[in-house]
Amino acid sequence: MTSPLVELQDVPVEIICLSVSPPGLRNGRVTCQGEGPCEVVLEEPEPRLEPGMRVVLDGGPDRDLRIKGLVTGMEGLRLQVETERVVPPDKRSFPRMYGGLHVRYRVLAAGEGEEGASAWVAGGDLPGEGGAWSEPDPFMDFSGTGLRFEDQLHCKAEDWMLIELRLPSSEDLWRAMARVVRVDPIRPEDVEARDEKKPAQAPTHQIAVQFEDLPADAIEALTAFGMRIQDALLKT
């Protein structure tokens, strides 16, 4: 896999790893040269961090930098991080948090009304005959009001979808109804080819959805999970 071209020299970053619970966050510095892996030097150890875990290198509010990558090597406080995506930073005042949510969704077909969808959210049967479910990469960003994830193109703006979601290390499965508010193509050079043998499975679009019907306990759980991440950020 060819990494996106990144040139950085000893730049301060926050290293966020949400493959562990509670989420791990450490300060460090990153150097990236050409298409090779970036070298990250942690200020203090994160014992749970291991090769194979995905991380976000975030420049914080003062630097326009966010990189998604895969830890490919570790030696003491030094990490080798293979760059998968250079992600445009979230411009909102309250950015969503990256989290390993387990999500699957199904776009409502014509004739499958909101009333039937709301009944399904409450525990009823699927409206209509049912269509195919899609499962995006769990490494997505979220808030109590919506999700933004990467996937192949299965929907368009203003589509409605049914969503099932589960938090990391949780057995609780929630149902939701959401509206697609934005669909943006991912530049071909930035597509994460996680499996070069299956290029057709690589995500092609960023999809942002807004919850229109979500149980109160799901909102509470998402908010609490986000607060745990924020606490990790504040402690560093």
Side-chain angles (χ1 to χ4, degrees), residues 63-89:
R63 181 175 291 274
D64 198 32
L65 170 66
R66 182 173 294 165
I67 295 172
K68 286 176 65 176
L70 184 72
V71 178
T72 57
M74 292 184 62
E75 183 176 350
L77 296 178
R78 294 182 178 274
L79 310 179
Q80 295 293 318
V81 177
E82 189 75 29
T83 301
E84 293 183 334
R85 288 273 325 277
V86 178
V87 184

Side-chain angles (χ1 to χ4, degrees), residues 101-104 120 140 147 163-167 172-176 211 214 218 221-222:
L101 302 183
H102 301 282
V103 169
R104 72 170 188 158
W120 175 82
M140 66 183 69
L147 307 171
I163 295 177
E164 289 183 341
L165 62 90
R166 180 186 291 115
L167 297 182
D172 293 323
L173 181 69
W174 289 288
R175 295 178 176 185
F211 294 131
L214 182 67
L222 283 171

Side-chain angles (χ1 to χ4, degrees), residues 1-4 6 38 52-55 67-72 81-87 137 139 150 186 189-195:
M1 178 179 68
T2 300
S3 299
V6 183
C38 298
M53 290 184 173
R54 285 200 170 89
V55 295
I67 295 172
K68 286 176 65 176
L70 184 72
V71 178
T72 57
V81 177
E82 189 75 29
T83 301
E84 293 183 334
R85 288 273 325 277
V86 178
V87 184
D137 191 303
F139 203 68
E150 296 177 355
I186 300 173
E189 60 267 32
D190 287 342
V191 171
E192 293 178 24
R194 297 194 180 103
D195 187 346

